[in-house]
Amino acid sequence: MPIRVTRRETFNAGHTLRNPEFSDERNLEVFGKCSNPGGHGHNYVLEVTLEQEVDPRTGYVFDLRLLSELIEKHVLADLDHRNLNTDVEWLRGRIPTTEILADAIWDRLEPHLPPGSLHSVRVRETEKNWVERCRG
Amino acid sequence: MPIRVTRRETFNAGHTLRNPEFSDERNLEVFGKCSNPGGHGHNYVLEVTLEQEVDPRTGYVFDLRLLSELIEKHVLADLDHRNLNTDVEWLRGRIPTTEILADAIWDRLEPHLPPGSLHSVRVRETEKNWVERCRG
Amino acid sequence: MPIRVTRRETFNAGHTLRNPEFSDERNLEVFGKCSNPGGHGHNYVLEVTLEQEVDPRTGYVFDLRLLSELIEKHVLADLDHRNLNTDVEWLRGRIPTTEILADAIWDRLEPHLPPGSLHSVRVRETEKNWVERCRG
Amino acid sequence: MPIRVTRRETFNAGHTLRNPEFSDERNLEVFGKCSNPGGHGHNYVLEVTLEQEVDPRTGYVFDLRLLSELIEKHVLADLDHRNLNTDVEWLRGRIPTTEILADAIWDRLEPHLPPGSLHSVRVRETEKNWVERCRG
Amino acid sequence: MPIRVTRRETFNAGHTLRNPEFSDERNLEVFGKCSNPGGHGHNYVLEVTLEQEVDPRTGYVFDLRLLSELIEKHVLADLDHRNLNTDVEWLRGRIPTTEILADAIWDRLEPHLPPGSLHSVRVRETEKNWVERCRG
Amino acid sequence: MPIRVTRRETFNAGHTLRNPEFSDERNLEVFGKCSNPGGHGHNYVLEVTLEQEVDPRTGYVFDLRLLSELIEKHVLADLDHRNLNTDVEWLRGRIPTTEILADAIWDRLEPHLPPGSLHSVRVRETEKNWVERCRG
């Protein structure tokens, strides 16, 4: 019987939403106040879910302390207290929307997890907006 | 890679739960204190989820400001600070349970969204009870 | 050393905000959409705080199960799933704003508590609005 | 159109995580500080979701008061304010991880619900860790 | 009997914590990762509390819609989706810590409120850190 | 102008509430299901508030990273994942109610903080019950 386990982490980061190929007017039209050139930021919440059979020797699907360490090493060490437009190698050239964050975090984590175990990556940007990439 | 985006909104409304074809005793038996004729009310939370491919020009699945405006126009303008039994044209003749709200809100929103994009409508009535209509 | 203990309870109720001495226009001007004649409602949160010395035999300031029972008996039994304009004897003739609720709940509870122990009554109407009556 | 309804309940319990076939060192390695022999505990949150067609006579998928009573009778009466290692008949011989709790609670509830209606059992152990058993 | 009413608002902003009179080493020592030159940001929560007698004609201490408008006009219009180091006239020359924000927001709001009515300004920076300026 | 700053931390612990001088019947009468001899536990939340003038060189009242380290060293290192009845030297001989925890944590922290700066220690035991020791 497969069971899903989720780990919740938080990070604080800055960003602005602008497509460099758009004019200022077009950026303002598409991204609204999120396109302010000085930037703003968020308390992001990250929820990573794995799905696997329970190991009968431990009662665990996956050690959540280990999952927390993998998230810290491969994701938060690069994102926490950083500017997502300029400070993060693996976001370079992408507009750092919540969608892109969820997509990129999935790609960062998956190679370090048991094959097929990653079930979803959810990123909450505010109390009102969140995004999820799920196993297809 | 499809991604899900969710927008959370709130509204406050009044209702009572009574089937006019039931006797008072039957209404009390089925709906308990929710059948009080004077009515009561809730701080409802509405969470609408869309699923689509990310647009590479914007990094967005769907502009959440636009989704918020569609929810305001087609749903909240009719429900917020209203009596769900008497004030809402598109709930007339239905018992305004949370299930019926989720079902009716789905039908209100879907025609205004990209075909096939609506993934779920979740309505939270209290901290302890919530309801979800999902893409079948 | 005095210590404060708080008990949180919830109730759901309906109301409308209208002063019967005001015209419809004046009610709309003062109370906005809260004056809708059909009424609306809320998931109210009630937080009652007592302050006293700790009893060394029990480590308790006041038994919170007993406080919960007193709140149920003297407050929630009358308010939960009721219409605050029409169903509650001890709110009759008052406009059921959150301020009036906090004030009236204080008066309902105080005679049943140790003299001088009631420290505050906080009523949360929504995530954005709350009210507190404190010991003067 | 099937709709999902969820009921949230809470319970407080104590546990320690140790496999009696492991040495103390191995238990510490696998379970970390959760293996402290004196035990610790949690405010668990339980969210039970059913999925069915809405009954047109009531607007309900399933009476959530009845679901709450079934959860109280078959689950919480045994778990609340108990030691999960020693006090619960139906957890005997299992390591009381959150995964095992979700799995065992599913098996306790399913026989008392309409066939095929149980959709998921989610158990939250802390703000950072939660677990879900879903319909396969 | 004075009653306290509170309004909760949110805003998203970017900042970095650096004293221009400190060396880079001293800034890192004092402000840690908050001194990252690229900046980061937060979902700030602002809670403004007034204390006054209840107006018997309305049951209100102060119209919370009006309080919300005053906060929007005098505070949020300048802070929301802005860089607190560079974009805000009335923070210029100050290090935008949460303490300084609470202090400066108090000074922005007080002249627009009834004399003596402002009771506290609380600013929450993260789930773990918040700050309050209270009536002295 | 004094400002208050608060740091929130969490810990998980087990306890049972029994006065060894009471009979089993008296313990059950006073403490109810909290007196279960096998024990239970909680996800405790600890909120520590300091009040001081802001340091104009840093914009800080007190470095919250340092406050977090002091809480970890003098409080959480002893309480987290422990049995409060048997594992904690500085709770020995006291009934580990939330009141006693708040009182004892105040006494643990105060000698390590600037004289007169500690303003309150709040301990949340569940969503419904919390306790606060304040500066007298």
Coordinates of all heavy atoms in Angstrom, one line a residue, chain D residues 55-114:
Chain D
D55 N -26.3 13.5 -2.5 CA -27.7 13.1 -2.4 C -28.6 14.3 -2.7 O -28.5 15.3 -1.9 CB -27.9 12.6 -0.9 CG -29.3 12.1 -0.7 OD1 -30.3 12.6 -1.4 OD2 -29.5 11.2 0.2
P56 N -29.4 14.3 -3.7 CA -30.2 15.5 -4.1 C -31.2 15.9 -3.0 O -31.7 17.0 -2.9 CB -30.9 15.1 -5.4 CG -30.9 13.6 -5.4 CD -29.7 13.2 -4.6
R57 N -31.6 14.9 -2.1 CA -32.6 15.3 -1.1 C -32.0 16.1 0.0 O -32.7 16.9 0.7 CB -33.2 14.0 -0.5 CG -34.2 13.3 -1.5 CD -34.4 11.9 -1.0 NE -33.1 11.2 -0.8 CZ -32.9 10.1 -0.2 NH1 -34.0 9.4 0.3 NH2 -31.7 9.5 0.0
T58 N -30.7 16.0 0.3 CA -30.0 16.7 1.4 C -28.9 17.6 1.0 O -28.5 18.5 1.8 CB -29.4 15.6 2.4 OG1 -28.4 14.9 1.6 CG2 -30.5 14.7 2.9
G59 N -28.5 17.5 -0.2 CA -27.3 18.3 -0.6 C -26.0 17.8 0.0 O -25.0 18.5 0.0
Y60 N -26.1 16.6 0.7 CA -24.9 16.1 1.4 C -24.3 14.9 0.6 O -25.0 14.1 0.0 CB -25.3 15.5 2.7 CG -25.4 16.5 3.9 CD1 -26.0 16.1 5.1 CD2 -25.0 17.9 3.7 CE1 -26.1 17.0 6.2 CE2 -25.2 18.7 4.8 CZ -25.7 18.3 6.0 OH -25.8 19.2 7.1
V61 N -23.0 14.8 0.6 CA -22.3 13.6 0.2 C -22.4 12.6 1.3 O -22.6 11.4 1.1 CB -20.8 13.9 -0.1 CG1 -19.9 12.7 -0.1 CG2 -20.7 14.5 -1.5
F62 N -22.2 13.0 2.5 CA -22.2 12.2 3.7 C -22.3 13.1 4.9 O -21.6 14.2 4.9 CB -20.9 11.4 3.8 CG -20.9 10.2 4.8 CD1 -21.4 9.0 4.5 CD2 -20.5 10.4 6.1 CE1 -21.5 8.0 5.4 CE2 -20.5 9.4 7.1 CZ -21.0 8.2 6.7
D63 N -23.2 12.8 5.8 CA -23.4 13.7 7.0 C -22.1 13.8 7.8 O -21.6 12.8 8.4 CB -24.5 13.1 7.8 CG -24.8 14.0 9.0 OD1 -24.1 14.9 9.4 OD2 -25.9 13.7 9.7
L64 N -21.5 15.0 7.8 CA -20.2 15.1 8.5 C -20.3 15.0 10.0 O -19.3 14.7 10.7 CB -19.5 16.4 8.1 CG -19.0 16.4 6.6 CD1 -18.4 17.8 6.3 CD2 -18.0 15.3 6.4
R65 N -21.5 15.2 10.6 CA -21.6 14.9 12.0 C -21.5 13.4 12.3 O -20.9 13.0 13.2 CB -23.0 15.4 12.5 CG -23.1 16.9 12.7 CD -24.5 17.3 13.0 NE -25.5 16.7 12.0 CZ -26.8 16.5 12.2 NH1 -27.3 16.7 13.4 NH2 -27.5 16.0 11.3
L66 N -22.1 12.6 11.3 CA -22.0 11.2 11.5 C -20.6 10.7 11.2 O -20.0 9.8 12.0 CB -22.9 10.5 10.5 CG -22.9 9.0 10.4 CD1 -23.1 8.3 11.7 CD2 -23.9 8.5 9.3
L67 N -19.9 11.3 10.3 CA -18.5 10.9 10.0 C -17.7 11.3 11.3 O -16.8 10.5 11.7 CB -17.9 11.7 8.8 CG -16.4 11.4 8.5 CD1 -16.2 10.0 8.3 CD2 -16.0 12.2 7.2
S68 N -17.9 12.4 11.9 CA -17.2 12.8 13.1 C -17.5 11.8 14.2 O -16.5 11.4 15.0 CB -17.7 14.2 13.6 OG -17.0 14.6 14.8
E69 N -18.7 11.3 14.3 CA -19.0 10.3 15.4 C -18.3 9.0 15.1 O -17.8 8.3 16.0 CB -20.5 10.1 15.4 CG -21.3 11.2 16.1 CD -22.8 11.1 15.9 OE1 -23.3 10.0 15.5 OE2 -23.5 12.2 16.0
L70 N -18.2 8.6 13.8 CA -17.6 7.3 13.5 C -16.1 7.4 13.8 O -15.4 6.5 14.3 CB -17.8 7.0 12.0 CG -19.2 6.6 11.6 CD1 -19.3 6.5 10.1 CD2 -19.6 5.3 12.2
I71 N -15.5 8.6 13.5 CA -14.0 8.8 13.8 C -13.8 8.7 15.3 O -12.9 8.1 15.8 CB -13.6 10.1 13.2 CG1 -13.6 10.1 11.7 CG2 -12.1 10.4 13.7 CD1 -13.4 11.5 11.0
E72 N -14.7 9.4 16.0 CA -14.6 9.4 17.5 C -14.7 8.0 18.0 O -13.8 7.6 18.8 CB -15.7 10.3 18.1 CG -15.8 10.2 19.6 CD -14.6 10.6 20.4 OE1 -13.9 11.5 19.9 OE2 -14.3 10.0 21.5
K73 N -15.6 7.2 17.6 CA -15.9 5.9 18.1 C -14.8 4.9 17.8 O -14.4 4.1 18.6 CB -17.3 5.4 17.6 CG -17.7 4.0 18.1 CD -19.1 3.7 17.6 CE -19.5 2.3 18.1 NZ -20.8 1.9 17.4
H74 N -14.4 4.9 16.5 CA -13.5 3.8 16.0 C -12.0 4.2 16.1 O -11.1 3.4 15.9 CB -13.9 3.4 14.6 CG -15.3 2.8 14.5 ND1 -15.6 1.6 15.1 CD2 -16.4 3.4 14.0 CE1 -16.9 1.4 14.9 NE2 -17.4 2.4 14.3
V75 N -11.7 5.5 16.2 CA -10.3 5.9 16.2 C -10.0 6.8 17.5 O -9.1 6.4 18.2 CB -10.0 6.8 14.9 CG1 -8.6 7.3 14.9 CG2 -10.3 6.0 13.7
L76 N -10.6 7.9 17.7 CA -10.1 8.8 18.7 C -10.4 8.3 20.1 O -9.5 8.6 21.0 CB -10.8 10.2 18.6 CG -10.6 10.9 17.2 CD1 -11.1 12.3 17.3 CD2 -9.2 10.9 16.8
A77 N -11.4 7.5 20.3 CA -11.7 7.0 21.7 C -10.5 6.1 22.1 O -10.2 6.0 23.3 CB -12.9 6.1 21.7
D78 N -9.8 5.5 21.2 CA -8.6 4.7 21.5 C -7.3 5.5 21.5 O -6.3 5.1 22.2 CB -8.4 3.5 20.5 CG -9.6 2.5 20.6 OD1 -10.2 2.4 21.7 OD2 -9.8 1.8 19.6
L79 N -7.2 6.6 20.7 CA -5.9 7.3 20.6 C -5.7 8.5 21.4 O -4.6 8.8 21.8 CB -5.7 7.7 19.1 CG -5.7 6.6 18.0 CD1 -5.4 7.2 16.7 CD2 -4.7 5.5 18.3
D80 N -6.8 9.2 21.7 CA -6.7 10.5 22.3 C -6.2 10.4 23.7 O -6.7 9.7 24.6 CB -8.0 11.3 22.3 CG -7.8 12.7 22.7 OD1 -6.8 13.3 22.4 OD2 -8.8 13.3 23.3
H81 N -5.1 11.2 24.0 CA -4.5 11.2 25.4 C -4.0 9.8 25.8 O -4.0 9.5 27.0 CB -5.5 11.8 26.4 CG -5.6 13.3 26.4 ND1 -6.3 13.9 25.4 CD2 -5.0 14.3 27.1 CE1 -6.1 15.2 25.6 NE2 -5.4 15.5 26.6
R82 N -3.5 9.1 24.8 CA -3.0 7.7 25.0 C -1.5 7.7 24.6 O -1.1 8.5 23.8 CB -3.8 6.6 24.3 CG -5.2 6.6 24.7 CD -5.4 6.3 26.2 NE -6.8 6.5 26.5 CZ -7.7 5.5 26.5 NH1 -7.3 4.2 26.1 NH2 -9.0 5.6 26.8
N83 N -0.9 6.6 25.1 CA 0.5 6.3 24.7 C 0.4 5.3 23.5 O -0.1 4.1 23.7 CB 1.2 5.7 25.8 CG 2.7 5.3 25.5 OD1 2.9 4.7 24.4 ND2 3.6 5.6 26.4
L84 N 0.8 5.7 22.3 CA 0.6 4.8 21.1 C 1.4 3.6 21.1 O 1.1 2.6 20.4 CB 0.9 5.7 19.9 CG 0.1 7.0 19.7 CD1 0.5 7.7 18.4 CD2 -1.4 6.7 19.7
N85 N 2.5 3.5 21.9 CA 3.3 2.3 22.0 C 2.6 1.2 22.9 O 2.8 0.0 22.7 CB 4.7 2.6 22.6 CG 5.5 3.5 21.7 OD1 5.3 4.7 21.8 ND2 6.3 2.9 20.8
T86 N 1.9 1.6 23.9 CA 1.5 0.7 24.9 C -0.1 0.6 25.2 O -0.5 -0.4 25.7 CB 2.1 1.0 26.3 OG1 1.7 2.4 26.7 CG2 3.6 1.0 26.2
D87 N -0.8 1.7 24.8 CA -2.2 1.7 25.2 C -3.2 1.3 24.1 O -4.4 1.3 24.4 CB -2.6 3.2 25.6 CG -1.9 3.6 26.9 OD1 -1.3 2.8 27.6 OD2 -1.9 4.8 27.2
V88 N -2.8 1.0 22.9 CA -3.7 0.9 21.8 C -3.6 -0.5 21.2 O -2.7 -0.9 20.6 CB -3.5 1.9 20.7 CG1 -4.5 1.8 19.6 CG2 -3.4 3.3 21.3
E89 N -4.7 -1.3 21.5 CA -4.8 -2.7 21.0 C -4.4 -2.8 19.5 O -3.6 -3.7 19.2 CB -6.2 -3.2 21.2 CG -6.4 -4.7 21.2 CD -5.7 -5.3 22.4 OE1 -5.8 -4.8 23.5 OE2 -5.0 -6.3 22.1
W90 N -5.0 -2.0 18.7 CA -4.9 -2.2 17.2 C -3.6 -1.6 16.6 O -3.4 -1.6 15.4 CB -6.1 -1.7 16.5 CG -6.7 -0.4 16.9 CD1 -7.6 -0.2 17.9 CD2 -6.5 0.9 16.3 NE1 -8.0 1.1 17.9 CE2 -7.3 1.8 17.0 CE3 -5.7 1.3 15.3 CZ2 -7.3 3.2 16.7 CZ3 -5.7 2.7 14.9 CH2 -6.5 3.6 15.7
L91 N -2.7 -1.1 17.5 CA -1.4 -0.7 17.0 C -0.3 -1.6 17.6 O 0.9 -1.4 17.3 CB -1.0 0.8 17.4 CG -1.8 1.9 16.8 CD1 -1.5 3.2 17.4 CD2 -1.6 1.9 15.3
R92 N -0.7 -2.6 18.3 CA 0.3 -3.5 19.0 C 1.2 -4.2 18.0 O 0.7 -4.7 17.0 CB -0.5 -4.5 19.9 CG 0.3 -4.9 21.1 CD -0.5 -5.7 22.1 NE -1.6 -4.9 22.7 CZ -1.5 -4.0 23.7 NH1 -0.3 -3.7 24.2 NH2 -2.6 -3.4 24.1
G93 N 2.5 -4.1 18.3 CA 3.4 -4.8 17.4 C 3.9 -3.9 16.2 O 4.7 -4.4 15.4
R94 N 3.3 -2.8 16.1 CA 3.7 -1.9 15.0 C 4.5 -0.7 15.6 O 4.2 -0.2 16.7 CB 2.5 -1.4 14.2 CG 1.7 -2.6 13.7 CD 0.5 -2.1 12.8 NE 1.0 -1.8 11.4 CZ 0.2 -1.5 10.4 NH1 -1.1 -1.3 10.6 NH2 0.7 -1.2 9.2
I95 N 5.4 -0.1 14.8 CA 6.1 1.1 15.2 C 5.2 2.3 14.9 O 4.8 2.5 13.8 CB 7.5 1.2 14.5 CG1 8.3 0.0 14.7 CG2 8.2 2.5 15.0 CD1 9.5 -0.1 13.8
P96 N 4.8 3.1 15.9 CA 3.7 4.1 15.7 C 4.2 5.4 15.0 O 4.1 6.5 15.5 CB 3.2 4.4 17.1 CG 4.4 4.1 18.0 CD 5.2 3.0 17.3
T97 N 4.8 5.2 13.8 CA 5.1 6.3 12.9 C 3.8 6.9 12.4 O 2.7 6.3 12.4 CB 6.0 5.9 11.7 OG1 5.2 5.0 10.9 CG2 7.3 5.3 12.2
T98 N 3.9 8.1 11.8 CA 2.7 8.7 11.2 C 2.2 7.9 10.0 O 1.0 7.8 9.8 CB 3.1 10.1 10.7 OG1 4.0 10.7 11.6 CG2 1.8 11.0 10.6
E99 N 3.1 7.3 9.3 CA 2.7 6.4 8.2 C 1.8 5.2 8.7 O 0.8 4.9 8.1 CB 3.9 5.7 7.5 CG 4.7 6.7 6.6 CD 5.9 7.4 7.4 OE1 5.7 7.6 8.6 OE2 6.9 7.7 6.8
I100 N 2.3 4.6 9.8 CA 1.6 3.4 10.3 C 0.2 3.9 10.9 O -0.8 3.2 10.7 CB 2.4 2.8 11.4 CG1 3.7 2.2 10.8 CG2 1.6 1.7 12.2 CD1 3.5 1.1 9.7
L101 N 0.2 5.1 11.5 CA -1.1 5.6 12.0 C -2.1 5.8 10.8 O -3.3 5.4 10.9 CB -0.9 7.0 12.6 CG -0.4 7.0 14.1 CD1 -0.2 8.4 14.6 CD2 -1.5 6.3 15.0
A102 N -1.6 6.4 9.7 CA -2.6 6.7 8.6 C -3.1 5.4 8.0 O -4.3 5.2 7.7 CB -1.9 7.5 7.5
D103 N -2.2 4.4 7.9 CA -2.5 3.1 7.4 C -3.5 2.4 8.3 O -4.6 1.8 7.9 CB -1.2 2.3 7.3 CG -1.4 1.0 6.6 OD1 -1.8 1.0 5.4 OD2 -1.2 -0.1 7.2
A104 N -3.3 2.4 9.6 CA -4.1 1.7 10.6 C -5.5 2.4 10.7 O -6.5 1.7 10.9 CB -3.4 1.6 11.9
I105 N -5.5 3.7 10.7 CA -6.8 4.5 10.8 C -7.6 4.2 9.6 O -8.9 4.0 9.7 CB -6.5 6.0 11.0 CG1 -5.9 6.2 12.4 CG2 -7.8 6.8 10.8 CD1 -5.3 7.6 12.6
W106 N -7.1 4.1 8.4 CA -7.8 3.7 7.2 C -8.5 2.4 7.4 O -9.7 2.2 7.2 CB -6.9 3.6 6.0 CG -7.5 3.1 4.7 CD1 -8.0 1.9 4.4 CD2 -7.8 3.9 3.6 NE1 -8.5 1.8 3.2 CE2 -8.4 3.1 2.6 CE3 -7.6 5.2 3.2 CZ2 -8.8 3.5 1.4 CZ3 -8.0 5.7 2.0 CH2 -8.6 4.8 1.0
D107 N -7.8 1.4 7.9 CA -8.3 0.1 8.1 C -9.4 0.0 9.2 O -10.3 -0.8 9.2 CB -7.2 -0.9 8.5 CG -6.3 -1.2 7.3 OD1 -6.7 -1.0 6.2 OD2 -5.2 -1.6 7.6
R108 N -9.3 1.0 10.2 CA -10.3 1.0 11.3 C -11.6 1.6 10.7 O -12.7 1.2 11.1 CB -9.8 2.0 12.4 CG -8.7 1.4 13.2 CD -9.1 0.4 14.2 NE -10.1 0.8 15.2 CZ -10.7 0.0 16.1 NH1 -10.5 -1.3 16.0 NH2 -11.5 0.5 16.9
L109 N -11.5 2.6 9.8 CA -12.7 3.4 9.4 C -13.4 2.7 8.2 O -14.7 2.8 8.1 CB -12.3 4.8 9.0 CG -12.0 5.7 10.1 CD1 -11.5 7.1 9.5 CD2 -13.2 6.0 10.9
E110 N -12.7 2.1 7.3 CA -13.3 1.7 6.0 C -14.5 0.8 6.2 O -15.5 0.9 5.5 CB -12.2 1.0 5.1 CG -12.7 1.1 3.7 CD -11.8 0.2 2.8 OE1 -11.2 -0.7 3.3 OE2 -11.7 0.5 1.6
P111 N -14.5 -0.2 7.1 CA -15.6 -1.1 7.2 C -16.9 -0.4 7.6 O -18.0 -1.0 7.4 CB -15.2 -2.1 8.2 CG -13.7 -2.0 8.3 CD -13.4 -0.6 8.0
H112 N -16.8 0.8 8.2 CA -18.0 1.5 8.7 C -18.5 2.5 7.7 O -19.5 3.2 8.1 CB -17.7 2.1 10.0 CG -17.1 1.1 11.0 ND1 -17.9 0.2 11.6 CD2 -15.8 0.9 11.4 CE1 -17.2 -0.6 12.4 NE2 -15.9 -0.2 12.3
L113 N -17.9 2.6 6.5 CA -18.3 3.7 5.6 C -18.9 3.0 4.3 O -18.6 1.8 4.1 CB -17.0 4.5 5.2 CG -16.4 5.3 6.3 CD1 -15.1 5.8 6.0 CD2 -17.4 6.4 6.8
P114 N -19.7 3.7 3.5 CA -20.2 3.2 2.3 C -19.1 2.6 1.4 O -18.0 3.2 1.3 CB -20.9 4.4 1.6 CG -21.2 5.3 2.7 CD -20.1 5.1 3.7

